[in-house]
Amino acid sequence: MSATTVIADDAEALAVAAELAADFRKDAAERDAQRRLPHAELERLSASGLLAVTVPAEFGGADVRTDTLAEIFRLLAAADASLAQIPQSHFVYVGVLRRQGTHEQQEFFFGEVLRGKRLGNAQSEAGTKHVQDIRTRLTRRPDGSYLLDGVKNYSTGALFADWIPVLTRADDDALHVAYVPRDAPGLTVVDDWDGMGQRTTASGTVRLESVPVPADRVLPHHLTFQSPQLHGALAQLMHAAIDAGIASGALAEAVEFVRTKSRPWFESVEEGHETAAEDPLLIQRFGELAIQVRAADALLAAAARSVDAARAELTDDSAAEASIAVAAAKVTAAEAAVEVASALFEVSGTRSALDSAGLHRHWRDARTHTLHDPARWKVQHIGRYVLNGTRPPRHGLL
């Protein structure tokens, strides 16, 4: 499809994101309950021009600030965390094109993105030794093109994509990204995701069997990590924004439920409080939860500014500072998402646990999404940096 809008600047991007989030929120619980995949919603997202906001200005994009991108994800995730997760890889691989694409590759793919085309993801593999043990192979043919073989899991966005970036190793074992059309021969996307949360992300399996790939659709991703980089910081920032959005959305639903549906505890009534919202113990708890949400939002914004500062003058030190700032935001947002989404039931009462209320999606989404990569290692890298000045490693997850 073609995008009906090319967004001009940060202000327009935020206004469009807020409008879409308000609409997407209305049926989010129903989509989750029925596992109804958001095809129509993603078409709206594409048509809005929002998926093209990081295209560089020289190619016709808005090239928005990083704090704008983070806020877009936070707004969408507060409405529907599954829907917000789907384009995360889209922006990651637009970023790969910015760093490692030739001018011709950038011109082609940025044009595709500006026309509303979506990039998916075929990155992770199950059953290997660890997450960076990539076994998918790109084999060069005599004519200079390639064949791609492998199996990918947790492929969020692939089912809805026009192009699927595939993380792969070439004959020399170096890491590359192959941008493959969704309908390429030998490529199959299997909708077999059955996670308890993020139900409608369709984060299933991609099978690649001798998929033909022209040479000009392959980028040398290994070069990304040979110099100071923000690849990992930007990817993690979007994850942090999703977690912060989950926390914000869960708090908003708790507020609405307590104000309109919860009964006051009888002892609170005996002390003169006629509604649940007047209960001083609930007021205290909501204050604590609001502080967590505000802390997550503040660290998210600060981390985004740190990424932009590093981008303006990229060095080992500025990249390290950005990565540490993002790690702190990610740890805080993950804790807030799980805590607030769980406390939602504590403050709302028994009726909130009814399946028909649909409130459990926030906790399921938080618990599932925060498993993406372990916060404990981020805390380690923060501690090493603060105490010993050790810069975080360049492996793409910081």
Side-chain angles (χ1 to χ4, degrees), residues 269-329:
V269 174
E270 288 174 351
E271 293 186 0
H273 308 296
E274 293 301 318
T275 68
E278 295 171 359
D279 185 331
L281 298 181
L282 283 182
I283 289 172
Q284 176 73 18
R285 188 64 174 127
F286 271 98
E288 294 168 350
L289 298 175
I291 289 168
Q292 284 191 278
V293 172
R294 284 172 176 258
D297 291 348
L299 284 176
L300 179 69
R305 291 192 297 270
S306 184
V307 170
D308 274 336
R311 180 175 285 153
E313 189 175 350
L314 190 58
T315 65
D316 281 323
D317 287 338
S318 67
E321 181 59 35
S323 290
I324 292 300
V326 171

Side-chain angles (χ1 to χ4, degrees), residues 155-178:
S155 301
T156 304
L159 191 70
F160 312 104
D162 299 286
W163 291 90
I164 301 178
V166 180
L167 196 61
T168 180
R169 296 195 183 276
D171 293 334
D172 60 358
D173 211 39
L175 205 58
H176 290 70
V177 176

Side-chain angles (χ1 to χ4, degrees), residues 56-86:
E58 66 179 292
F59 293 95
D63 201 6
V64 299
R65 299 187 309 272
T66 304
D67 63 335
T68 296
L69 182 63
E71 180 64 4
I72 288 168
F73 272 87
R74 194 193 70 82
L75 288 168
L76 293 175
D80 184 340
S82 286
L83 187 53
Q85 178 65 35
I86 292 167

Side-chain angles (χ1 to χ4, degrees), residues 43-67:
E43 290 299 311
R44 284 193 62 195
L45 192 62
S46 293
S48 75
L50 209 57
L51 297 182
V53 295
T54 59
V55 170
E58 66 179 292
F59 293 95
D63 201 6
V64 299
R65 299 187 309 272
T66 304
D67 63 335

